[in-house]
Amino acid sequence: MVHVLGARPNFVKAAPVIGALRAAGAEQAVIHTGQHYDARMSEIFFTELGLPEPDVNLGVGSGGHAEQTAALLVGLEKEFTSRSPALVIVYGDVNSTIAAALVAAKLQIPVAHVEAGLRSFDMSMPEEVNRRITDQLSALCLVTSPEGIGHLAAEGVPVHRTHLVGNPMIDTLLANLGSFDTDRVREAHGLPGRYVLATMHRPANVDAPETAAALVRHLHGVADLADLVIPVHPRGRANLLAAGLDDHDGVHILEPLGYIDFIAAVRGAAAVVTDSGGLQEETTILGVPCLTVRPNTERPITITHGTNRLVTFEELVPGVRKSLDGGSGGSSPLIGTAPEPGPVAADRKPPLWDGHAGPRIAEVIMRYLGE
């Protein structure tokens, strides 16, 4: 079987799956597409997470959606044709995910989609397009949270293809809890004692210069309340810096961090400001207040079971102020009412976010191939 990995969230999700399949005696290969090509966003993850060295790196790099996806289609078709895998395993919702699913479908190779069933219902997001089509093409839809089962059923995915397995990203988080040393990261990167951590990379927030400039104004407002630490993603870096992101004494700009250092920094933050999907999940387990600068989320369970809130630009500074004062953060939850910030009790964690998703996924895959 072949795992296709393209971006840093894929590596974090894949590590426990690859480990569990290895323990089950599966023959595996790893294709790194090179969609994330910065060493701090790809290679370091293989070292830190104990992933096997990729059997091939396609090195597609950056580019527009059409250019990048076209390069992925060509490269992956060559690899799948030469390897003839029994199964292709894809993760998440990046361009590498949909490209691998399309190529496998054309070659009549079954696909297993880890993190199936997530929906933001916002088709302006490239990720929503990718995840919807991938689910339709997948023989195995491996679902991280219960609402995904309903989404797939509503879209006509047969029930025998759908499996609630839990969240392998949380497997990786729990397996590495002892390595997240906030004091070491503070010293290594010169971080203040109290800080808000931010990550911003969604096209809707950073691609248009005027939107990036508005975002920067509100991030400066956050920095007026507490030091703001922001590892800057390559996507949007130019626009954010052009808008004057670093023109504030309270803003600490870092290069992208490896997994261990990044989660250690998240663990020590007074609050997190993000537009990331995975970080909403990680803060849910760590009990760190999270303000997600988006109008929707494909992970509503992080709101009902965690510490996440959705906020607009205008709600960001008041939401951070409330979090810093011990309140619950933003004022626009997608659904329901989230608990107050703080460590998430075992009975409040989302179902099956228990550190054993990898073995459950391996069991489903091996049973499917056996049948």
Side-chain angles (χ1 to χ4, degrees):
M1 57 195 74
V2 170
H3 303 262
V4 178
L5 311 179
R8 63 188 294 168
N10 296 168
F11 311 139
V12 181
K13 296 162 191 166
V17 179
I18 291 173
L21 285 168
R22 183 190 304 121
E27 183 180 351
Q28 307 176 78
V30 175
I31 296 176
H32 182 356
T33 67
Q35 183 176 333
H36 273 181
Y37 50 88
D38 187 306
R40 290 159 299 195
M41 302 189 74
S42 58
E43 279 80 1
I44 191 172
F45 283 69
F46 286 87
T47 302
E48 291 185 338
L49 301 178
L51 286 163
E53 282 296 312
D55 294 86
V56 64
N57 188 328
L58 299 181
V60 299
S62 60
H65 286 290
E67 178 185 4
Q68 188 179 70
T69 305
L72 287 162
L73 292 171
V74 173
L76 289 168
E77 183 178 58
K78 291 178 181 177
E79 289 298 324
F80 294 173
T81 301
S82 66
R83 295 176 185 276
S84 297
L87 183 72
V88 170
I89 305 173
V90 299
Y91 299 82
D93 50 27
V94 297
N95 285 341
S96 298
T97 307
I98 181 60
L102 281 170
V103 171
K106 298 286 187 179
L107 296 175
Q108 298 185 33
I109 302 168
V111 175
H113 183 202
V114 176
E115 204 178 56
L118 297 185
R119 296 292 181 269
S120 68
F121 301 101
D122 181 358
M123 291 297 285
S124 70
M125 295 177 62
E127 297 88 349
E128 181 75 358
V129 176
N130 291 346
R131 63 175 74 103
R132 281 175 176 259
I133 296 174
T134 299
D135 284 341
Q136 290 296 324
L137 297 175
S138 295
L140 293 175
C141 291
L142 302 164
V143 181
T144 56
S145 56
E147 72 275 7
I149 300 291
H151 298 331
L152 293 169
E155 293 168 13
V157 176
V159 66
H160 70 270
R161 287 166 44 192
T162 302
H163 304 269
L164 180 62
V165 292
N167 191 337
M169 179 175 275
I170 303 307
D171 288 23
T172 300
L173 179 73
L174 296 176
N176 289 279
L177 271 180
S179 301
F180 303 139
D181 187 340
T182 300
D183 290 338
R184 180 187 59 78
V185 171
R186 276 198 180 98
E187 183 176 351
H189 298 283
L191 306 185
R194 189 181 194 226
Y195 59 88
V196 174
L197 185 135
T199 70
M200 307 299 298
H201 72 279
R202 293 283 177 185
N205 285 334
V206 302
D207 276 12
E210 60 274 16
T211 305
L215 174 61
V216 165
R217 288 196 299 273
H218 292 286
L219 291 175
H220 284 175
V222 172
D224 289 337
L225 303 176
D227 285 87
L228 182 72
V229 173
I230 178 165
V232 180
H233 193 285
R235 182 184 189 95
R237 181 184 183 93
N239 281 345
L240 292 173
L241 293 180
L245 177 63
D246 54 350
D247 293 341
H248 191 294
D249 292 341
V251 174
H252 305 260
I253 295 178
L254 303 180
E255 294 299 319
L257 300 174
Y259 176 72
I260 298 296
D261 281 4
F262 178 70
I263 299 299
V266 170
R267 193 179 194 181
V272 166
V273 172
T274 190
D275 55 13
S276 163
L279 194 47
Q280 298 172 51
E281 298 175 335
E282 289 156 334
T283 53
T284 284
I285 298 302
L286 293 172
V288 177
C290 180
L291 294 98
T292 299
V293 188
R294 285 172 48 186
N296 50 55
T297 178
E298 64 284 352
R299 294 164 169 89
I301 203 164
T302 64
I303 295 174
T304 56
H305 285 68
T307 59
N308 188 28
R309 283 287 194 275
L310 299 179
V311 294
T312 64
F313 282 6
E314 290 71 23
E315 293 170 324
L316 178 56
V317 173
V320 170
R321 181 183 293 110
K322 188 173 183 180
S323 289
L324 295 176
D325 291 342
S328 58
S331 57
S332 299
L334 181 67
I335 57 173
T337 302
E340 292 301 304
V344 179
D347 61 352
R348 288 293 304 176
K349 289 179 183 177
L352 302 185
W353 288 26
D354 57 3
H356 302 292
R360 281 190 288 266
I361 290 169
E363 181 182 357
V364 170
I365 286 173
M366 297 303 283
R367 185 171 64 245
Y368 170 81
L369 292 177
E371 292 169 351

